Amino acid sequence: MTEEENAPLLSSEGVESNLSRNRKRPNLFPTEPVRSNAVCADDRIFVNATVTTPSEVEPDLIVAIFVVAFDTRSGNMVEWCMPDDADLDGVEFKAMVSGSHTQTKDFVYFRKDSMYGLACFENMPVESEIERGARMKSVGILATSYTLLYRHLQFLETQVRHQLETPGKYTQLQAFYEDKTSALGSLPSSKTNTPNTPLKDFLPELKITHPAGCFTQFAKFFGEQIFLLWKYALLEKRILFFSPPPIGVVCYRVYCACCLANHDMRGMGRKVKPHFYVNVADIETLESEVTYIACTTEKIFETKTSLYDIYVDNQVVRTHQPGLKDLLKCSSADREKFQKLNNLRSAHQFSYEDLGEEAIDEEEIFVSFFQEQNNRLFQTLLDVANSQDTQLTSDHMKSMGLDPSGDRQFLMDLVEHYGIDVVLMVDNPCCPK
């Protein structure tokens, strides 16, 4: 099949337009309406949400800070926390994940009820028979959402080393917590900006962190398979990433996977909940979730097939559900989209140096690419559904970035899942690509 026959899989102009708008507003939250991954003060990520005014954006509130230690007799335990009455039940097994003892350092994002947490772990050798030669601790925080947790990563890394070297000294942690809670008291009760308050102080940023090459590593790690994950994310499946420690980089995969389903179409889809790290204590919670994306270091989850639809064991994507197995093969359109994504990244890698950036923000490229792709897909489906004959043809599929043969089953699943009334006119060959 020629390039002309497959085009347009994705409009470079559309992505360029999104990127151009974003470059004019580095904070990604202007005063005009913007679709974003913003997280409000409850526990949910609004993949398809609209941020329209500053008053609708809740500030990230740090509600607790804690130290978790490993005791050779008692196991994981909360050694210290502020406030004293903070509900930290189970946090000791989130902040120090299963298998941490094999690592020198790690970090982890997690959920605790309606809160999000970030903790840094370190394992330091010591000459102590009581501690069996190793002192292991984690220092972490709980907040109302995860959008600003990354800002405190370096502080937590420093503090966990401090706790290992000078156990029992909590003065700096106490000062940090008191500083954050006193800053909260100065916020206007309406949570809106005043003429004397800069708008940026009230608007969270999109990113959970700024690891060098986070999205690039995600794309390189999974290759063309990111479009398998893309399909499952659009179908709102329960996706569980498994990997032995370190878990920090796997938390990034959860975040990147959440970005795959971004689009601007109102009323299309549920709210995706990134649980980040989960363990056996989360089984009951996961049983009640219709859709989520999470990660774990606990191999026992592999046998709990009722808890997930898609199981990603490092680079191996698989499913136990017969109806989803047809989507495990990359189509020709997936390969072409992956090439377009790589080309887009390469073309902009050293662009816009006049903005004072070392390189263009890879997250903007990545998110804009999938947002444009998903917008095109849903808009085409809705346009066809509202047409006189509601017939969806091969040309429509190509315009949506789909392979008329290899992506037929995915499209059938998609229109059924979202209740879009179209008649699929694409032939079903006996040997699809």
Side-chain angles (χ1 to χ4, degrees), residues 62-76:
I62 293 178
V63 297
I65 188 167
F66 57 87
V67 178
V68 169
F70 176 76
D71 183 86
T72 54
R73 288 168 293 188
S74 306
N76 295 10

Side-chain angles (χ1 to χ4, degrees), residues 93-104:
F93 299 106
K94 297 272 196 177
M96 196 176 292
V97 308
S98 178
S100 286
H101 64 280
T102 64
Q103 303 297 305
T104 302

Side-chain angles (χ1 to χ4, degrees), residues 265-280:
M265 312 303 293
R266 286 184 176 273
M268 301 294 290
R270 301 180 182 88
K271 302 172 183 69
V272 178
K273 295 183 177 181
H275 283 258
F276 295 111
Y277 177 74
V278 295
N279 55 27
V280 291

